[in-house]
Each structure stands twice: as structure tokens, then as C-alpha cells.
Amino acid sequence: MPLVTLLSRTCVTLVAALLAAGPASAAVAAPAPTGAPASGPATPGPAATRWAVQPSGPDGPTGRNYFIYDLAPGATLTDHVGVTNLSDRPLTFQVYGTDAYTTADGAFALLPADRAATDVGSWIRFDRQAWTVAPGRRADIPFRLSVPANATPGDHAGGVIAAIAQARTTADGQQVRVDQRLAARVYLRVNGDVRPAVAVESVSVSYDNPINPAGGGDAVVTYRVRNTGNVRVAGTGTVAVEGPFGWRLARTAPVDLPELLPGGGFTVTERVTGVPPALLLTAEIDLAPTTVDTALPPVRRAASTWAPPWLLLAALAVLAGWLTVRLRRRARAARTAGPVAVPPTTRPVTGTAGGAP
């Protein structure tokens, strides 16, 4: 396969950072292609490529941050996405819908360009995919969202993407094709049985035991949170570290959890400093999950690890050994001394000397 053809199939996704923007997503896009190696850095064009994507209407932007819908199975609606060309030359955009997912680090992300949508992204249809926008102008592009009659209840997330495929020339003259994307988020809730649920799948605790227990050590607590329901959730999480008999040793400040789409998971790692070695440490996770509508019941899970106070135990062992030696020496001295002679006792005799009374 020719190098140019191979490189033309690569794409660079700019969606991750730009989806978190406000109602309009804008970018200066001049990334290098990924995939097949290039022999030199990509050379940008004469002017930076800039454009914006935002929810809109037939007469222009509506002030919405995202596309947010609440529809029944089988429902259909028409909406618009505004694509603004902020460059100094005409730009042709590929406009389409795709699905979202939660990344391993808890970020909202969209499927790469080479993966077909199977959820809400596949329910979005445009009259055509390619749209050319003049410099400094905006196109309010209509699309239809059709919810299948058998769509599962709950939240479905995706995005409406405006992508540009442009040619770039590397330092050694190779022609490459770069796919650059901006998007506006789509949140759709399908009416039906809504089941918010969050689980703490696993908890692990490790302890950096100090030689001197007075200063305390570090306890590292790692736990995995997963959205096991059918609506998106967020919330906060705290970690409490306790010793034997519920002795509270430390507690972290609440940590904001990222928004998790249904099925999404996120791993939290907390380092708690200054924890004394209390023989047995128990870390309790306390989650306060929420949905976009309400707070959910707290979720708790705990795990333990041994934290022996080595210096104290060593001191007790030395003391016990010293006492043992002392007692043995006393016992040995008592055995070697033998029995103690007891002098006889005399009883006084009463009566008259020389005869009977």
C-alpha cells in the first residue's frame, strides 16, 4: 500500500479537551497524523484552521451548552448544529453523529472516526455529510434524531461532530491526510424504567510502615467505582482509616467523582499521610452518588491491612526477654542454695525441782 494512501487513513481526535468547553467548541487545528510514521514533522498551512461547533436552531445558536433530550421510544425530532468557519478560507466539513463512552481516567470521549456508532450516534441522520462553509460564516445544519421503538430506557450519550480532512506536507515532502474533529455533546434520556446504581467494585489498601511509629506512615487506598445503572451519575467519595475497635485515625476530604456514563468506571487512589501503625488498619470508602435529578443512597465498602508497630513490638520483646532472664536467674539461684536448716525449738518445763508436786 502506498505511504500516502496509508497515511491518509490516519486521524487525530481533538474531541476530548474540546467537548468540555461551553456552548461553542472552537479550535486552532494543526496536529500531526498518527498511525503510520512520518519521516518529519507536519508543516502547517499558510493560516491556522479554526472553526466552532455548537447547538443551534434554524435562526442561529440557542444558548444551549449541549444537546439534551428526553424522548420516548419511537419518537423523532429535528434539531440543528451550528458550524462556524473562523478561518480565512472556505472549509468543507464532514458532519455526523457518534457514540460517547467513559475513558479509564473518567473523561467523556467519543468513538474514533474508524468505529461505527451503534447507539445514539447511529440514530442521528443528516441530509448529506459534506458541508462547505464560507470564511467568517456559520451554517446551521439540520439533522433528525429518531429513537428506535426498542431503545432501552435510561441515558444514551454521544456527540455531533464536524470534521475536516486536510492535506499536510512533511519536512521531506511526503503528503499526509489529517482528520481533525470538533463536537457538541448529546445527552438523550429514553423514557422508561430508570435505575440509577453505583457500585464499589474493589478496594485495596497498602501501608508504608515507618520505623518510628510516632511520625506515622502513608496509607494508599485504591478503589474502583462503576456505574451499574442506566443513567449517568457523579458524586463525591471519602476515605476513612480506622484502627482496632473503630478507632478513627484519619479521614480524607471529599473528592469529586467524574460523570460516569452507564457502564463506565473510574479508579480513585487516595494517599493518607500520618497514619500511626495501629496493628490493623481498615479503610472504609464512603460514596455519595448523585444523578442529574437527585442524590442517591450512600455506598460503602471497606478493606483492611496489617500495620504492626515494629518499634513498639521490638521494645516489648526486649522487655519480655529481660523479665524472662531475671525470673530464670532467680529460680536457678533458689535451686542451688539447697534447703534452709531450721533450729530446734525448746519448750519451758514447769513444776517443783526434785519431786512431784
Side-chain angles (χ1 to χ4, degrees):
M1 178 182 298
L3 178 60
V4 174
T5 303
L6 179 61
L7 292 174
S8 68
R9 297 184 179 180
T10 63
C11 69
V12 175
T13 301
L14 303 180
V15 177
L18 298 164
L19 285 172
S25 297
V28 177
T34 60
S39 55
T43 301
T49 302
R50 301 177 67 246
W51 73 100
V53 179
Q54 63 192 126
S56 191
D59 299 321
T62 57
R64 293 174 290 174
N65 291 334
Y66 311 119
F67 294 105
I68 301 178
Y69 308 111
D70 193 337
L71 299 172
T76 299
L77 61 77
T78 299
D79 207 339
H80 296 72
V81 60
V83 180
T84 305
N85 181 358
L86 303 175
S87 300
D88 59 358
R89 62 188 183 280
L91 296 176
T92 298
F93 300 93
Q94 303 295 312
V95 184
Y96 58 95
T98 192
D99 298 337
Y101 66 98
T102 302
T103 64
D105 58 358
F108 181 100
L110 299 179
L111 295 179
D114 59 354
R115 286 186 57 186
T118 58
D119 197 66
V120 66
S122 66
W123 307 343
I124 296 173
R125 290 286 185 271
F126 289 86
D127 290 339
R128 65 179 190 270
Q129 193 172 28
W131 295 79
T132 300
V133 183
R137 303 300 297 271
R138 184 191 68 249
D140 297 312
I141 303 172
F143 64 87
R144 289 184 303 278
L145 173 60
S146 301
V147 183
N150 61 349
T152 58
D155 288 343
H156 301 258
V160 176
I161 290 177
I164 294 179
Q166 291 184 311
R168 291 285 187 267
T169 303
T170 63
D172 63 353
Q174 293 284 352
Q175 292 291 319
V176 297
R177 196 170 182 82
V178 179
D179 185 17
Q180 303 160 303
R181 312 195 305 169
L182 291 179
R185 296 189 191 187
V186 175
Y187 289 113
L188 166 64
R189 176 165 294 185
V190 177
N191 299 343
D193 182 21
V194 173
R195 294 177 291 99
V198 179
V200 179
E201 292 185 323
S202 61
V203 181
S204 64
V205 187
S206 63
Y207 182 65
D208 184 10
N209 205 325
I211 297 177
N212 181 9
D218 291 356
V220 179
V221 183
T222 302
Y223 59 96
R224 178 79 175 170
V225 181
R226 183 167 296 280
N227 181 352
T228 57
N230 61 0
V231 295
R232 51 195 170 108
V233 296
T236 60
T238 57
V239 175
V241 180
E242 299 178 347
F245 311 108
W247 176 25
R248 177 65 59 83
L249 302 175
R251 184 179 181 87
T252 65
V255 173
D256 290 332
L257 302 177
E259 179 184 80
L260 299 178
L261 302 178
F266 179 65
T267 299
V268 181
T269 299
E270 292 269 36
R271 179 177 292 273
V272 187
T273 60
V275 179
L279 187 62
L280 181 66
L281 300 179
T282 299
E284 182 179 71
I285 313 304
D286 189 353
L287 295 186
T290 60
T291 68
V292 295
D293 304 313
T294 185
L296 302 178
V299 178
R300 296 184 177 91
R301 186 167 174 177
S304 300
T305 188
W306 291 104
W310 294 118
L311 189 61
L312 178 60
L313 293 178
L316 292 176
V318 171
L319 178 60
W322 181 78
L323 290 176
T324 300
V325 170
R326 292 272 298 179
L327 293 175
R328 287 182 176 177
R329 285 180 178 176
R330 287 187 179 183
R332 187 180 303 112
R335 289 194 298 270
T336 57
V340 177
V342 180
T345 60
T346 57
R347 296 179 60 190
V349 179
T350 61
T352 304

